[in-house]
Amino acid sequence: MAKKRPQTKGKSHVSSGEIPVVGAREPCPCGSGRRYKACHGRAAAHAVTELVQRPFEGLAGEGDWIALRELVPAATVRLTLKEGLPDGVPSVTLATVLPMAWPALRRDDGSVLLGLQNDTSSGDMSRDLADTLQRALTAEPGTPVQARRAPADGPRLQDLLDPAAAFEPVVHTGFEFWVPDSENANPDVAASLERANAAAIPTVKLSGVDGAYWCETPDKNHLRWVMPHPEEQLLDALARLHAAGTSSLGEGTRLVGSFRAHGLTVPVWDLPTRMSAEDVEKPAAEFAERLAAALGSEAPLTVEERRARGGLTNRQVTLS
């Protein structure tokens, strides 16, 4: 009979924290005799691909982060770093999307634009964005930052951004923020901006409530409102209001359902085409008061409320 290969399990002299990343088919540096992908590489791959349900949890303006990722065509936010800005970097700005879908751009003046609406290679969007941001801070001025897989042990946005700084999105009607002087852009850039602007849905952030965005479409307008409440509690509260006939935002409006995005629930209302963002400010504030009362109720749902909840659940879609 052939001799069994000697087992080296348990004889590694290198701690897990010291294991470097090598090729998947190469011997694991820990000395186990197995390939890296079947040994310490398995844990590293899992750490990179494990889905983080709420990647923006703990950041100021979590609902606005989600809205800018999923709902808003053109917006920017000035970001504040915990350690302050490095030398030669006058500002760091988050943008919904950048030209050519670049993950980030270091402008000629050294300022950084970080794109939010990009595909990410791991299950933790916060870690991917933090890796892109770090590379943008040291990129050569005038160059974009390309996508890559973030290290599994790299920092997250929560590690880099100042948690006490305000998160104040500025919603734009177009993408002129892409270039410092859009009025004098060359013909190719001007044509690109014109195409991008034509595809942007007019969107306005409400000022009276958090995380709510009005948008205009050809057939009707909408209000999409990212809410921070636990999903089950929020659906119960919405069902109570719906059954009582108080879930609308006024005449001609209707709560049509909700979707999940990055761990939070986003109720959606249909609005008449004549209802502007300014028109919906007061009804939204009044709805927020009704919702707060419904969220505080601990009474069991009635038959009508359970039926309303079932209807809301059946119309719920998961985006991420």
Side-chain angles (χ1 to χ4, degrees), residues 6-316:
Q7 298 296 310
T8 58
K9 185 176 181 180
K11 295 183 180 180
S12 171
H13 298 291
V14 184
S15 66
S16 297
E18 298 171 343
I19 302 298
V21 176
V22 299
R25 295 182 179 274
E26 295 179 39
C28 186
C30 76
S32 66
R34 292 180 292 173
R35 289 179 177 177
Y36 177 71
K37 70 174 184 178
C39 192
H40 282 85
R42 180 179 298 171
H46 178 74
V48 171
T49 59
E50 184 177 8
L51 179 64
V52 176
Q53 297 290 344
R54 289 179 63 179
F56 307 118
E57 184 176 15
L59 293 173
E62 180 185 6
D64 289 316
W65 277 92
I66 293 172
L68 267 56
R69 164 72 186 185
E70 301 296 340
L71 308 177
V72 183
T76 55
V77 187
R78 186 66 63 93
L79 299 180
T80 303
L81 306 185
K82 280 184 180 179
E83 305 298 329
L85 293 171
D87 290 340
V89 180
S91 64
V92 174
T93 301
L94 179 74
T96 48
V97 66
L98 296 179
M100 309 297 292
W102 287 326
L105 171 66
R106 182 90 185 272
R107 282 178 159 167
D108 291 335
D109 66 355
S111 61
V112 168
L113 286 177
L114 176 66
L116 182 57
Q117 295 179 11
N118 292 302
D119 293 334
T120 54
S121 57
S122 81
D124 186 352
M125 188 177 299
S126 176
R127 196 180 308 280
D128 289 328
L129 287 167
D131 177 68
T132 300
L133 174 56
Q134 285 192 312
R135 290 187 291 127
L137 293 172
T138 59
E140 288 293 323
T143 60
V145 175
Q146 302 300 328
R148 76 168 190 184
R149 176 173 287 240
D153 58 351
R156 308 179 74 237
L157 287 174
Q158 290 81 347
D159 301 316
L160 302 182
L161 302 183
D162 183 353
F167 188 81
E168 300 175 341
V170 177
V171 178
H172 304 279
T173 57
F175 296 91
E176 282 75 16
F177 63 85
W178 281 354
V179 291
D181 187 9
S182 60
E183 293 183 357
N184 296 314
N186 67 52
D188 289 340
V189 172
S192 178
L193 281 173
E194 184 176 357
R195 288 193 299 271
N197 290 346
I201 296 174
T203 302
V204 176
K205 174 177 167 57
L206 298 195
S207 60
V209 294
D210 293 332
Y213 290 78
W214 170 96
C215 69
E216 179 184 11
T217 60
D219 297 329
K220 62 187 69 174
N221 298 340
H222 304 279
L223 182 70
R224 299 177 289 189
W225 193 339
V226 186
M227 296 188 170
H229 317 291
E231 181 179 321
E232 296 302 314
Q233 182 185 8
L234 176 59
L235 289 176
D236 282 353
L238 291 174
R240 294 181 195 280
L241 297 178
H242 200 63
T246 58
S247 65
S248 73
L249 299 173
E251 183 180 356
T253 71
R254 185 167 66 99
L255 175 63
V256 293
S258 65
F259 58 85
R260 300 184 189 93
H262 307 290
L264 295 186
T265 302
V266 187
V268 179
W269 285 263
D270 280 350
L271 311 174
T273 54
R274 66 180 183 277
M275 194 171 194
S276 67
E278 185 177 356
D279 294 334
V280 83
E281 287 278 8
K282 182 178 178 181
E286 293 171 346
F287 178 85
E289 294 180 359
R290 297 196 299 272
L291 179 64
L295 287 166
S297 175
E298 297 181 356
L301 295 180
T302 66
V303 173
E304 292 78 8
E305 290 167 347
R306 289 199 301 272
R307 186 178 298 115
R309 194 187 194 284
L312 289 171
T313 303
N314 289 338
R315 297 194 297 274
Q316 192 173 43

